[in-house]
Amino acid sequence: MPVDPEYLLGEAAAERRRARKKRSRRRLACRCCCLLVVAVVVICLGCFGAAVTKALHVHDVELVDKRNISASTIQYTLNYSYNSNILPGQWIKYKAPSERVRDYSPVASDNGETTTLAIKVSNGVSLELARDVWPDSLVRISGPFPPLPDMLRSLDTSAARVGFFCFGSAITACVDPVRALLGHGANVRLLYFTRGPEQVLFRPQLDGLKNVYGDKYQVHYVYTRPGQEPDSPGEWTGRLDAAMVDGVFHDWYDFPARFESAGSAAAKSLTRQLVSSANHTGHWKDRVFDMPFVPGCCVEVLRLTEAAKHCPS
């Protein structure tokens, strides 16, 4: 049966129209996807820019309290809401009247409405703070850092068992991460090394966690001064060695565990060696994560030479 040429031409034209419509839809979809990607990028850049701007913004905050909490450490309480501005693991920058800047790890007050800094007085910025800054005066800070902490340095709150090794005034970098991990249901054990009981910082806060979390939380105060005797349960004397690690963490050997350390380079190096050489069954991460205790914070450097001799080879 003969086919009408005009019918064939009409069908061809219809096919071309359908093909043009498909191409138009694909181009429209492609443009929409590109616009969506651009919008997401702009939003991300805007959020990052806002976070960076907030971190770099200088705040003049009121100092509401200043007191000695040990022979060489002063605690400063700032009228700056910790809960509204800072996440565990972040730090702030203090700008001294001399224009020098120093980084410090803040600690939340019991209600989170103020921020405290525990600073060991030595020289430089810490000496300026001790000498020139008094209650009711304004303190110039910026931060917190890093901006967008969930992306740039997040505290792993998914771990079920976390051990902390904190040396001297580096405890300031550990107090709030310990609180955060306990709040997420983790089992936390803390070894806190100081020369003696008079140098223990934030003891009421650390001991108070035992009343809230019970067996999920253990804290051991280890005094390294020769001749120092423990005064109460939970206090030990001596140096960090393999026997101490075994005594605190032996029942974790068959389970995954994560470890954090804060202190001097020598202290953290010894911690890594002891954790790596412990008799666990392969579940532990050999890496000991460094708390974000940035250069410039006051760290009590412990004499660990003798302790290193006890480290298994």
Side-chain angles (χ1 to χ4, degrees):
M1 180 177 178
V3 179
D4 186 358
E6 292 185 1
Y7 173 78
L8 293 177
L9 291 174
E11 283 294 312
E15 284 294 330
R16 288 195 295 272
R17 285 195 298 272
R18 284 193 289 268
R20 284 197 297 270
K21 287 181 180 179
K22 287 182 180 179
R23 288 195 296 270
S24 297
R25 292 192 191 101
R26 284 197 294 267
R27 284 196 296 269
L28 180 61
C30 183
R31 289 169 182 169
C32 290
C33 290
C34 290
L35 288 174
L36 182 61
V37 170
V38 170
V40 170
V41 170
V42 169
I43 291 172
C44 291
L45 289 176
C47 293
F48 183 76
V52 171
T53 301
K54 179 182 177 182
L56 296 177
H57 177 66
V58 176
H59 316 276
D60 286 323
V61 298
E62 181 186 6
L63 178 68
V64 296
D65 188 48
K66 175 183 179 181
R67 64 182 63 187
N68 293 323
I69 55 175
S70 76
S72 59
T73 305
I74 299 177
Q75 177 176 297
Y76 303 85
T77 303
L78 307 178
N79 187 19
Y80 183 68
S81 175
Y82 186 101
N83 288 345
S84 302
N85 298 287
I86 303 173
L87 292 176
Q90 290 185 300
W91 63 88
I92 61 176
K93 293 180 180 289
Y94 166 72
K95 189 173 185 179
S98 63
E99 300 299 317
R100 288 185 290 185
V101 177
R102 187 62 58 90
D103 302 327
Y104 292 110
S105 292
V107 176
S109 61
D110 291 337
N111 59 11
E113 294 303 316
T114 57
T115 299
T116 60
L117 302 176
I119 299 175
K120 185 176 180 181
V121 180
S122 54
N123 51 34
V125 172
S126 63
L127 185 59
E128 284 190 56
L129 261 172
R131 184 185 58 205
D132 301 331
V133 178
W134 298 95
D136 299 327
S137 62
L138 294 179
V139 177
R140 179 156 290 188
I141 63 172
S142 59
F145 297 93
L148 299 178
D150 291 336
M151 293 175 57
L152 300 181
R153 200 288 179 191
S154 61
L155 179 68
D156 183 7
T157 55
S158 64
R161 297 169 186 82
V162 185
F164 281 83
F165 297 82
C166 299
F167 300 84
S169 55
I171 189 65
T172 56
C174 300
V175 174
D176 288 318
V178 166
R179 289 169 170 168
L181 287 162
L182 288 169
H184 282 79
N187 285 275
V188 176
R189 295 182 183 178
L190 167 63
L191 279 169
Y192 178 13
F193 297 83
T194 64
R195 294 280 292 166
E198 74 283 354
Q199 296 188 1
V200 173
L201 307 180
F202 301 109
R203 182 153 192 168
Q205 290 89 335
L206 294 174
D207 287 343
L209 293 173
K210 291 187 287 189
N211 299 327
V212 178
Y213 296 102
D215 294 338
K216 281 186 169 291
Y217 169 68
Q218 293 181 17
V219 56
H220 301 282
Y221 303 97
V222 186
Y223 305 138
T224 60
R225 182 189 296 122
Q228 180 69 50
E229 294 295 331
D231 296 327
S232 60
E235 295 183 345
W236 296 352
T237 58
R239 304 279 181 174
L240 177 60
D241 57 17
M244 188 176 294
V245 172
D246 181 76
V248 177
F249 299 107
H250 65 90
D251 56 334
W252 283 9
Y253 284 167
D254 295 328
F255 304 97
R258 175 188 174 94
F259 295 91
E260 303 266 359
S261 67
S264 67
K268 290 187 285 190
S269 175
L270 177 61
T271 301
R272 284 192 293 270
Q273 294 177 41
L274 294 174
V275 168
S276 297
S277 59
N279 295 320
H280 62 90
T281 56
H283 294 286
W284 286 11
K285 297 179 180 179
D286 286 341
R287 178 187 172 193
V288 177
F289 293 82
D290 293 341
M291 291 303 300
F293 197 65
V294 291
C297 294
C298 300
V299 179
E300 179 184 356
V301 180
L302 301 178
R303 299 184 182 93
L304 295 167
T305 306
E306 293 185 5
K309 297 178 182 178
H310 300 289
C311 178
S313 57

